[in-house]
Amino acid sequence: MISKKMEELGKKSSVIREIFEYGKKRKAELGEDKVFDFSLGNPSIPAPQKFTETLRSLIDNSCPTALHGYTSAPGDMGVREAIAADISSRFGASASATDIYMTCGAAASLTITLHALINEGDEVVLLAPFFPEYRVFCEKAGARVKVVYCREPDFLPGREQLAAAITEKTKAIIINSPNNPTGVIIPTEKMLEIAEVLKNKAKEYGTDIYIIADEPYRELSYEMEVPYIPNLYDNTVVCYSYSKSLSLPGERIGYIFVSPKAAAASDLFAAVCGAGRSLGFVCAPSLMQYAVRECIGLTADVEEYRQNRDLLYSALCDMGFSAIHPDGAFYLFLKAPNGNAEDFCEKAKKYELLLVPGDSFGGEGYVRISYCVSREQIEHSLPAFRKLAKDCMGEK
Ligand code: PLP
């Protein structure tokens, strides 16, 4: 018999994907410019020019069998050295090549890290709202999920709620800052508070609790600094991806950084290698490894997203909607006026606005609007949002 669990997962696509597929159908019926699809987190800004030039140069000037061949299982040593040097110089964290494991993006970084850490029955704390795939990744690794709900006014975790969620079985907490779907960045003081709660609880239970820092949006921060968690909490594993920072989601490239200050760091790194091996995530795409090495320190033009955020946020607030002001990432989390996100998204469809209900993120009553779209799409969608506002809240 085939695995029922996997069959179910395969048959039930994510809500985001369902809305995206619906949007493709509507666009085919009405025309591309008549449908305002705000569903996916697919970067709208091209990768930096240097990335394209680097690819050309690598293809023109490298030995093809080396360029397209297997690297070492954790990645090419030169690439890992360059990434470690960047982490050390940018954040002042001590990192070596042997702490870095190259992956196929943040999703692979997370699944490998979870498999490296979890023994059957361990618990992982998630801060809601969270990227819905976390639940799938955690459960596949054998973990039980404990959710801490972060709500208004700041969508940050409360000290007491966090402490109450931690038990002797807690192995890790996933922290995603800047956050998908709220855009919230956890400030240093709050990170220190989280670190203190984890340290106290670990001491109380005589355990090690790890922070898994899921950081695909680290570079997408508009005004605030994003604290580097390994500098604030020793037991940290960073799951990084170039999907958003270099606009390369289809290329599947990222890395894991196991902080050398973490408890049992070298055993944990060995477990990361073992998990990568057992999941078949070895030798991340070699061309992409070499290309990102040449692009260290570069990001796609984040200013474009900031302008999208400002335009959309102020227009929606003027219409009477209320939303969390995003500090980073490229999502706006909007309050459904009647408190029912599913109803609100259905209503939005009448105006060809495709929004994602927050329920699957653990953010009931809110909808996610991805503003990694063209400026024109935002401008052209505003009359539709105005009609939606009138429909939901009456004349302003
Ligand atoms: N984590 C978060 C919070 C995300 O939003 C995403 C993708 O949107 C991922 C992980 C997966 O990223 P990647 O495409 O690099 O696997």
Side-chain angles (χ1 to χ4, degrees):
M1 198 169 68
I2 55 171
S3 158
K4 274 284 148 212
K5 177 98 192 130
M6 291 302 138
E7 185 186 342
E8 263 169 40
L9 270 178
K11 285 185 172 164
K12 197 175 67 186
S13 65
S14 80
V15 182
I16 305 170
R17 287 272 156 197
E18 269 171 29
I19 297 169
F20 176 66
E21 291 304 324
Y22 169 84
K24 282 209 296 205
K25 210 174 87 215
R26 283 305 275 166
K27 282 179 183 175
E29 288 162 5
L30 301 176
E32 284 281 327
D33 57 335
K34 302 286 183 303
V35 180
F36 309 112
D37 184 355
F38 292 99
S39 62
L40 277 193
N42 212 1
S44 52
I45 295 167
Q49 182 64 23
K50 167 94 191 285
F51 176 77
T52 317
E53 287 164 12
T54 301
L55 283 188
R56 284 209 183 93
S57 157
L58 283 168
I59 288 166
D60 289 345
N61 302 317
S62 315
C63 158
T65 47
L67 184 62
H68 302 300
Y70 290 124
T71 61
S72 305
D76 175 80
M77 191 45 104
V79 175
R80 293 160 69 206
E81 271 164 8
I83 290 171
D86 179 57
I87 292 173
S88 306
S89 76
R90 247 194 322 154
F91 307 115
S94 78
S96 313
T98 47
D99 307 320
I100 306 287
Y101 187 97
M102 300 305 294
T103 66
C104 297
S109 301
L110 287 163
T111 44
I112 292 172
T113 302
L114 285 162
H115 277 84
L117 284 171
I118 299 300
N119 290 301
E120 195 65 35
D122 284 348
E123 292 173 354
V124 174
V125 174
L126 301 181
L127 303 179
F130 55 82
F131 180 53
E133 296 302 282
Y134 286 169
R135 198 179 273 284
V136 179
F137 299 161
C138 287
E139 288 172 359
K140 167 69 183 64
R144 271 196 59 215
V145 163
K146 294 281 281 282
V147 179
V148 172
Y149 289 90
C150 308
R151 289 294 185 254
E152 285 164 337
D154 52 14
F155 276 76
L156 294 170
R159 176 191 277 270
E160 277 73 39
Q161 286 99 311
L162 178 59
I166 295 171
T167 71
E168 67 276 15
K169 295 218 167 109
T170 305
K171 182 54 70 68
I173 173 171
I174 301 183
I175 304 257
N176 171 224
S177 168
N179 178 266
N180 172 10
T182 61
V184 166
I185 293 174
I186 300 180
T188 304
E189 315 79 72
K190 184 47 93 172
M191 263 318 307
L192 285 169
E193 183 184 291
I194 295 171
E196 192 186 318
V197 170
L198 299 183
K199 275 183 219 156
N200 289 345
K201 283 287 172 182
K203 198 163 165 204
E204 180 184 334
Y205 295 126
T207 54
D208 292 315
I209 303 174
Y210 292 84
I211 290 183
I212 300 175
D214 179 27
E215 303 212 326
Y217 301 99
R218 159 162 290 280
E219 272 70 43
L220 275 61
S221 155
Y222 305 118
E223 288 91 14
M224 273 176 73
E225 207 175 302
V226 185
Y228 199 61
I229 300 176
N231 291 341
L232 307 178
Y233 187 74
D234 287 350
N235 289 344
T236 298
V237 181
V238 176
C239 291
Y240 188 80
S241 162
Y242 296 94
S243 295
K244 321 285 175 170
S245 61
L246 286 178
S247 293
L248 301 177
E251 302 298 354
R252 315 307 302 136
I253 189 74
Y255 65 81
I256 295 166
F257 165 49
V258 176
S259 171
K261 292 190 279 179
S266 63
D267 291 344
L268 176 53
F269 191 80
V272 162
C273 296
R277 180 180 169 196
S278 76
L279 292 164
F281 278 141
V282 289
C283 314
S286 53
L287 177 60
M288 288 304 134
Q289 291 192 46
Y290 301 131
V292 296
R293 175 179 56 190
E294 301 308 315
C295 294
I296 281 174
L298 285 181
T299 52
D301 183 6
V302 172
E303 177 57 19
E304 286 288 317
Y305 294 136
R306 195 187 60 72
Q307 289 179 16
N308 281 1
R309 175 200 68 173
D310 291 348
L311 173 63
L312 193 61
Y313 179 80
S314 63
L316 294 178
C317 291
D318 282 351
M319 291 174 205
F321 288 114
S322 113
I324 304 169
H325 187 259
D327 304 312
F330 38 47
Y331 307 105
L332 191 71
F333 216 43
L334 185 91
K335 204 168 185 170
N338 73 352
N340 186 325
E342 303 260 356
D343 272 8
F344 181 67
C345 289
E346 276 309 306
K347 215 171 237 183
K349 275 189 188 164
K350 278 201 317 198
Y351 305 100
E352 306 305 338
L353 290 166
L354 306 185
L355 320 176
V356 179
D359 304 52
S360 59
F361 297 85
E364 290 76 6
Y366 284 78
V367 301
R368 189 188 80 167
I369 305 178
S370 295
Y371 58 83
C372 45
V373 296
S374 68
R375 188 71 39 76
E376 296 78 60
Q377 175 173 327
I378 295 179
E379 283 162 357
H380 295 165
S381 71
L382 295 182
F385 272 114
R386 236 169 256 123
K387 285 184 201 153
L388 177 64
K390 197 167 149 206
D391 193 346
C392 296
M393 298 178 284
E395 209 70 63
K396 202 191 155 201

